[in-house]
Amino acid sequence: MSQIRSTIDIMMERTSGMGLSSSEKDQIRKESLEKKAKGYALKIHDYPDSTKKLVEDLMSEPSGDLEELRKLVWNNLVLKIDNNPNLTTFLDLIEKLPFAPSRKDVLDKFRASLKGAQKDKSKDRKSLLERERKKLADSGISGAAVVPVISRDSENKRINELINSLKANLIV
């Protein structure tokens, strides 16, 4: 009587000699590093008080992947730079990271441009309001109670352009 083979035996027989190619192994390693980097960047961004501990954990990663992981964490942090009230605090935080590349000149130039853009923001807002009032008046809507709604994108256009330029200069 012949022996009945189990599904596992059949599967093991058919997959013997199969394995991952070196490029597939490298791709899996890169995906794993990218996930780790996103996790570190998210934690540093969301929990700035625990940055010291997170940096210690990052520096204790295996030395073969450490340099690439540090670059990936840096790039993920740069992508998290956004126009919000904590912008300058976040920039100060990432600038002080021990694995941060030396970009002090770029950050100083950005801070100066940001101050100028924030001062000009009120002037730009007034001109946008006037332009919108004229558009409304041309369509028959006017009066002292008319307050046009200005989108945040148009109001913060210059600052957002500066942030995008900064991101391009900081990416490693």
Side-chain angles (χ1 to χ4, degrees), residues 131-149:
R131 189 172 2 150
E132 292 299 316
R133 279 193 180 118
K134 286 179 184 177
K135 284 182 187 177
L136 289 171
D138 290 343
S139 62
I141 302 170
S142 62
V146 174
V147 179
V149 177

Side-chain angles (χ1 to χ4, degrees), residues 67 70-71 73-75 77-78 94-107 169-172:
E67 189 60 35
R70 288 167 49 178
K71 286 180 183 177
V73 170
W74 173 257
N75 289 340
L77 284 170
V78 167
I94 65 171
E95 183 179 18
K96 293 176 183 172
L97 292 173
F99 58 87
S102 178
R103 300 276 200 247
K104 184 164 177 46
D105 56 334
V106 173
L107 290 170
N169 287 327
L170 291 179
I171 293 284
V172 177

Side-chain angles (χ1 to χ4, degrees), residues 91 95 103-117 158 162 165-166 169-170:
L91 290 177
E95 183 179 18
R103 300 276 200 247
K104 184 164 177 46
D105 56 334
V106 173
L107 290 170
D108 289 343
K109 183 179 174 185
F110 171 75
R111 285 185 180 108
S113 299
L114 181 64
K115 284 181 183 177
R158 174 132 162 71
L162 285 172
S165 171
L166 174 70
N169 287 327
L170 291 179

Side-chain angles (χ1 to χ4, degrees), residues 5-169:
R5 299 184 330 181
S6 71
T7 306
I8 293 177
D9 291 336
I10 295 170
M11 182 185 71
M12 293 300 290
E13 182 181 297
R14 289 186 180 171
T15 59
S16 66
M18 293 179 81
L20 295 174
S21 68
S22 61
S23 64
E24 289 173 327
K25 289 178 185 176
D26 191 44
Q27 181 66 27
I28 290 171
R29 185 184 68 78
K30 285 182 181 180
E31 288 173 2
S32 173
L33 285 177
E34 184 63 37
K35 286 179 185 177
K36 276 185 185 179
K38 285 182 180 180
Y40 278 118
L42 182 66
K43 288 176 185 175
I44 290 171
H45 180 265
D46 291 348
Y47 306 107
D49 296 337
S50 62
T51 300
K52 185 177 180 180
K53 172 72 172 121
L54 292 168
V55 169
E56 288 173 5
D57 291 346
L58 174 64
M59 296 307 205
S60 67
E61 291 285 336
S63 61
D65 298 334
L66 184 60
E67 189 60 35
E68 187 174 354
L69 185 61
R70 288 167 49 178
K71 286 180 183 177
L72 290 171
V73 170
W74 173 257
N75 289 340
N76 278 300
L77 284 170
V78 167
L79 293 175
K80 291 191 176 299
I81 297 172
D82 199 12
N83 186 10
N84 61 37
N86 300 327
L87 174 62
T88 54
T89 306
F90 183 64
L91 290 177
D92 292 340
L93 173 74
I94 65 171
E95 183 179 18
K96 293 176 183 172
L97 292 173
F99 58 87
S102 178
R103 300 276 200 247
K104 184 164 177 46
D105 56 334
V106 173
L107 290 170
D108 289 343
K109 183 179 174 185
F110 171 75
R111 285 185 180 108
S113 299
L114 181 64
K115 284 181 183 177
Q118 287 174 336
K119 287 179 184 176
D120 293 343
K121 183 178 170 181
S122 63
K123 294 176 188 173
D124 293 342
R125 181 172 172 71
K126 288 178 184 177
S127 65
L128 284 171
L129 281 171
E130 284 304 316
R131 189 172 2 150
E132 292 299 316
R133 279 193 180 118
K134 286 179 184 177
K135 284 182 187 177
L136 289 171
D138 290 343
S139 62
I141 302 170
S142 62
V146 174
V147 179
V149 177
I150 299 174
S151 70
R152 286 190 177 250
D153 290 339
S154 62
E155 188 176 352
N156 294 322
K157 184 178 179 182
R158 174 132 162 71
I159 294 173
N160 291 335
E161 289 172 354
L162 285 172
I163 290 173
N164 289 336
S165 171
L166 174 70
K167 286 180 182 180
N169 287 327

